[in-house]
Amino acid sequence: MRYSFLSLLRNGLSGQSGWKPAWRDASPKPSYDVIIVGGGGHGLATAYYLASQHGIRNVAVIEKGYIGSGNAGRNTTIIRSNYLLPGNEPFYEFSMKLWEGLEQELNYNAMVSQRGILNLYHSDAQRDAYARRGNAMRLNGADSELLDTEGVRAMYPFLDFANARFPIRGGLLQRRAGTARHDAVVWGYARGADRLGVDIIQNCEVTGLIREGDVVTGVQTTCGEIRAGKVGLAVAGSSSKLAAMAGMRLPIESHVLQAFVSEGLKPLIDGVITFGAGHFYISQSDKGGLVFGGDIDGYNSYAQRGNLPVVEDVCEGGMALMPRIGRLRLLRMWGGIMDMSMDGSPIIDHAPLPGLYLNAGWCYGGFKATPASGWCFAHLLAKDEPHATGTAFRLDRFRTGHLIDEKGVGAQPNLH
Ligand SMILES: Cc1cc2nc3c(=O)[nH]c(=O)nc-3n(C[C@H](O)[C@H](O)[C@H](O)COP(=O)(O)OP(=O)(O)OC[C@H]3O[C@@H](n4cnc5c(N)ncnc54)[C@H](O)[C@@H]3O)c2cc1C
């Protein structure tokens, strides 16, 4: 059913009894044209665009838990396109543009809120680096503004500008950036895909790949064997596990990233702020809780929970930036499994085995990429060639040396 003011009115007057489930609980068919493994944002967006852009509707999304139970439902919801490098910036700006029309396209309120992101700088060198980044953004059609101290003070007077170690000298502002409701993005894509005929199969784990010779022709699952013309992996933190089923070792390590939510406050922070002298970022949810995070836990893990040293580190970053949150109570925290690639950038490519396709390596920045990732992965699956904005995200770049090392830290997944 279509959501509209009229449908709200009609259901309001009829005791809310007319709403239909947003998607069907599908049982697997024996075979599909395309199977997408992973019912996170990327898998569902891919299925949606396969159906809506390429007319490929005989598609299943197979999810081992419930959709959105992975990183899609665990992230801190920031969307932005403030990247520097040629391989990345056009792709993330393309994603930003898709975000801007997403709710109308899906007929679903994903609470996309372009409340702006401000990256603070604390030294002259950092200002110069941000100026360069801002210019790269503008060259790719994104918006950026470089603020001085007074510009930042006008927005957020409560920050610790005179901090002895990390004085705030200004910030790089992207006003079109912001946040989106992560669960709603998953639900919106699921509903959109379902309406176009895609089967969303939950509580069904892929346990192996079916091969005829080298060609991947389906998946073994806890619900039985399912055949497919093509199999796309969009399993984020589990990418290396799924690739191992195909005998592949990916240039990816899995690490935990934690997120934190405080008790509710009156409106205080109306945008997203990132600290430039440590890893800390913060925004405020519409319910009032401060939502914040920082570094990944530095060790490899498939656990969806983190450890205390990073909690301490994140809270120290917060205190250095805005000491007034010192008496705030932490309400809850959790972790997600990050697919950290060796250069910090993603992979959207064929796998070495025919019939198998990869969407992985999103590190901790994949939520903002959801629409463009789905769009480009669907393009690759449908046409067997990369979409124009995703050509740099090749798997063989780690062999040929064409890395997209946004942070310039080398093959150090724990530092990206
Ligand atoms: C704490 C935290 C904060 C973050 N903050 C941001 C942010 O502010 N901005 C941003 O851009 N990004 C952020 N990210 C990163 C972002 O969430 C991820 O990069 C992105 O969600 C990954 O894509 P996905 O949504 O498809 O992944 P997921 O939601 O993890 O989807 C993968 C799915 O695959 C399923 N799966 C795995 N193995 C199997 C199997 N064998 N069979 C079937 N299904 C399987 C999983 O259950 C999961 O549902 C954050 C992540 C975390 C954890």
Side-chain angles (χ1 to χ4, degrees):
M1 67 187 296
R2 242 195 106 67
Y3 299 149
S4 66
F5 175 69
L6 262 182
S7 66
L8 266 181
L9 190 69
R10 207 176 304 118
N11 280 287
L13 295 174
S14 63
Q16 310 292 352
S17 55
W19 299 111
K20 302 269 184 309
W23 60 88
R24 293 164 295 127
D25 205 5
S27 312
K29 294 192 286 198
S31 77
Y32 292 91
D33 292 340
V34 180
I35 285 178
I36 307 290
V37 187
H42 292 223
L44 290 161
T46 304
Y48 172 74
Y49 291 123
L50 270 174
S52 68
Q53 299 301 311
H54 304 282
I56 301 176
R57 297 177 175 209
N58 186 21
V59 175
V61 176
I62 300 184
E63 166 55 47
K64 72 174 176 183
Y66 57 90
I67 57 168
S69 55
N71 296 333
R74 292 165 184 267
N75 65 69
T76 40
T77 79
I78 300 167
I79 59 175
R80 57 185 172 88
S81 64
N82 52 2
Y83 281 72
L84 172 71
L85 297 182
N88 279 333
E89 179 55 19
F91 172 82
Y92 286 100
E93 177 54 20
F94 176 53
S95 207
M96 203 61 230
K97 292 204 170 70
L98 290 174
W99 281 113
E100 286 170 331
L102 190 70
E103 293 167 305
Q104 288 72 23
E105 157 118 23
L106 295 178
N107 176 232
Y108 203 85
N109 180 7
M111 293 169 68
V112 175
S113 166
Q114 293 182 283
R115 56 183 69 183
I117 186 167
L118 181 66
N119 299 141
L120 297 173
Y121 61 81
H122 307 265
S123 67
D124 290 351
Q126 205 172 18
R127 178 202 56 214
D128 292 351
Y130 279 179
R132 183 178 170 218
R133 177 179 297 259
N135 287 334
M137 291 164 65
R138 283 171 174 241
L139 285 171
N140 285 286
D143 63 306
S144 67
E145 292 167 47
L146 199 65
L147 305 184
D148 60 10
T149 313
E150 290 318 308
V152 175
R153 202 190 299 276
M155 293 179 75
Y156 300 114
F158 50 80
L159 298 181
D160 189 4
F161 288 86
N163 185 298
R165 289 178 70 196
F166 313 119
I168 296 170
R169 302 254 192 251
L172 179 67
L173 176 64
Q174 184 181 26
R175 290 189 194 273
R176 284 167 57 246
T179 56
R181 170 78 198 276
H182 48 8
D183 300 313
V185 173
V186 169
W187 300 332
Y189 273 121
R191 174 172 169 269
D194 175 85
R195 288 169 82 189
L196 295 172
V198 170
D199 280 355
I200 296 168
I201 300 162
Q202 304 184 77
N203 300 311
C204 179
E205 181 169 355
V206 171
T207 52
L209 298 173
I210 304 171
R211 281 165 64 166
E212 283 166 23
D214 270 351
V215 183
V216 174
T217 55
V219 291
Q220 283 147 357
T221 76
T222 47
C223 328
E225 283 193 0
I226 314 174
R227 301 272 162 179
K230 295 178 179 178
V231 176
L233 303 182
V235 290
S238 301
S239 295
S240 34
K241 284 186 181 173
L242 270 288
M245 293 176 192
M248 291 163 55
R249 189 160 173 251
L250 293 180
I252 284 178
E253 285 182 5
S254 289
H255 288 257
V256 179
L257 178 69
Q258 303 189 56
F260 308 85
V261 172
S262 78
E263 61 188 324
L265 298 180
K266 288 184 177 171
L268 172 70
I269 304 175
D270 61 3
V272 182
I273 310 173
T274 75
F275 183 41
H279 203 153
F280 177 81
Y281 58 92
I282 190 163
S283 65
Q284 187 166 18
S285 80
D286 293 353
K287 282 195 284 187
L290 298 188
V291 181
F292 53 95
D295 261 330
I296 53 175
D297 288 37
Y299 50 89
N300 300 152
S301 174
Y302 291 108
Q304 293 188 122
R305 60 180 182 280
N307 270 330
L308 286 172
V310 168
V311 180
E312 195 176 5
D313 181 67
V314 169
C315 292
E316 278 173 3
M319 287 299 289
L321 180 65
M322 37 192 299
R324 61 158 40 191
I325 61 172
R327 292 172 65 191
L328 197 66
R329 277 171 295 194
L330 201 58
L331 201 62
R332 56 204 170 89
M333 59 211 249
W334 61 88
I337 316 166
M338 307 290 76
D339 37 337
M340 304 299 295
S341 68
M342 294 295 147
D343 62 359
S345 296
I347 300 161
I348 305 178
D349 204 354
H350 298 93
L353 300 184
L356 188 65
Y357 299 75
L358 278 178
N359 176 314
W362 292 100
C363 301
Y364 40 68
F367 178 64
K368 70 179 85 68
T370 305
S373 164
W375 188 285
C376 292
F377 200 34
H379 185 100
L380 177 72
L381 282 157
K383 299 192 181 298
D384 265 312
E385 58 188 41
H387 184 265
T389 55
T391 48
F393 300 149
R394 298 168 62 110
L395 178 59
D396 68 2
R397 72 176 186 271
F398 300 96
R399 181 164 50 78
T400 60
H402 293 90
L403 301 181
I404 316 168
D405 188 355
E406 186 75 27
K407 276 202 178 170
V409 294
Q412 297 282 330
N414 53 323
L415 298 181
H416 285 298

